[in-house]
Amino acid sequence: MGDAPTARSVEVAAPDDFAQTAADVLIREVLAAHEARGELGLCLAGGSTPRAVYERLVTTAESCVVGFPWHAVHVWFGDERWVGPTDPASNYRMACEALIDPAGIDDANVHRMRVGDAEPEVVAAWYDDALPAQLDVLILGIGEDGHTASIFPDSKTLGERERRVVTARSPVPPHGRLTITPAVIEDACRVVVLATGASKAGAVAAAIEGDIAVERCPARLARHGIWVLDTDAAAGLDPL
Ligand code: 6PG
């Protein structure tokens, strides 16, 4: 990662406080990126965990941070399901509902993975060309199997060292995916990983503390990031 802290950072909150804790971390990191760079690239995670965090990020920024620089935020996506932008499974749709529309982010600054506009490999190449050389704030989730973005255990994506965006296949539907590759995670300036629930505790512990290979736990690619967990997802970690 860029100039982000190299040592791991773990913030743990009670389940009811998780969204606010995560929102506070993201506000801190976005403001730091804006201070450092002016216009910044914020790359969103999909799935279900981030929704409440994005919603709280918008309301907290609005009520607590005078002049939060949404105008300077370019929104990117770490992965997308191969479904249309209005499909309930679309990460873009979730981001629009929870963050982009409520924050009033200009369409010109929202960079959707243009599912459906061409063949998947072409869309992936378009996104690879457009993606900034270094993302300022990269938000990731983690699956129970240790995947992150749509980089799944033992997938060929883990060996991809040329391209930064590729097609992928998820073991769970929607199977068709587009995803950033390991280099994008490694090169990101700040990485924030969000996880809640007891079902994630094993994957979180493996990613942060285990000596398991990245091939078996792709979320280890983010082990030096800022991990924001609820107490259930943190239950497998060694007490500090
Ligand atoms: C996706 C995500 C994926 C997600 C994890 C956790 O498109 O599904 O990018 O990597 O972050 O699967 O998903 P939940 O937050 O729904 O548990």
Side-chain angles (χ1 to χ4, degrees), residues 44-50 78-81 89 91 140-145 147-152 177 194 196 200:
L44 302 182
S48 57
T49 302
D79 71 332
E80 185 57 276
R81 294 83 180 275
N91 289 336
L140 293 172
I142 182 172
E144 295 174 22
D145 62 354
H147 80 262
T148 193
S150 283
I151 308 173
F152 294 93
R177 303 289 180 102
L194 307 176
T196 60
K200 302 290 180 73

Side-chain angles (χ1 to χ4, degrees), residues 43-44 75-85 90-92 110-117 123-124 126-128 131 149 164-166 177-181:
C43 190
L44 302 182
V75 173
W76 300 89
F77 293 84
D79 71 332
E80 185 57 276
R81 294 83 180 275
W82 195 257
V83 295
S90 164
N91 289 336
Y92 168 78
V110 179
H111 307 278
R112 177 174 77 88
M113 289 181 163
R114 304 197 66 78
V115 172
D117 286 9
V123 174
W126 286 347
Y127 211 77
D128 193 334
L131 205 57
R164 299 185 305 153
V165 181
V166 294
R177 303 289 180 102
L178 295 175
T179 186
I180 55 174
T181 59

Side-chain angles (χ1 to χ4, degrees), residues 58-195:
V58 173
T59 56
T60 303
E62 186 176 354
S63 57
C64 302
V65 184
V66 176
F68 189 82
W70 287 120
H71 64 281
V73 174
H74 282 257
V75 173
W76 300 89
F77 293 84
D79 71 332
E80 185 57 276
R81 294 83 180 275
W82 195 257
V83 295
T86 60
D87 188 295
S90 164
N91 289 336
Y92 168 78
R93 172 174 164 171
M94 184 272 283
C96 285
E97 291 171 350
L99 190 147
I100 295 166
D101 295 347
I105 298 175
D106 192 297
D107 284 349
N109 290 356
V110 179
H111 307 278
R112 177 174 77 88
M113 289 181 163
R114 304 197 66 78
V115 172
D117 286 9
E119 289 303 308
E121 289 72 13
V122 173
V123 174
W126 286 347
Y127 211 77
D128 193 334
D129 287 344
L131 205 57
Q134 181 182 48
L135 290 164
D136 296 287
V137 181
L138 170 60
I139 304 171
L140 293 172
I142 182 172
E144 295 174 22
D145 62 354
H147 80 262
T148 193
S150 283
I151 308 173
F152 294 93
D154 302 317
S155 64
K156 62 182 187 335
T157 308
L158 285 154
E160 176 63 52
R161 300 309 300 182
E162 295 301 318
R163 293 172 294 171
R164 299 185 305 153
V165 181
V166 294
T167 61
R169 181 165 179 76
S170 165
V172 297
H175 294 295
R177 303 289 180 102
L178 295 175
T179 186
I180 55 174
T181 59
V184 177
I185 299 173
E186 292 161 353
D187 293 345
C189 190
R190 296 166 177 84
V191 176
V192 179
V193 186
L194 307 176

Side-chain angles (χ1 to χ4, degrees), residues 30-41 69-74 136:
V30 168
L31 290 175
H34 182 240
E35 178 71 27
R37 277 248 262 241
E39 285 218 330
L40 65 111
W70 287 120
H71 64 281
V73 174
H74 282 257
D136 296 287

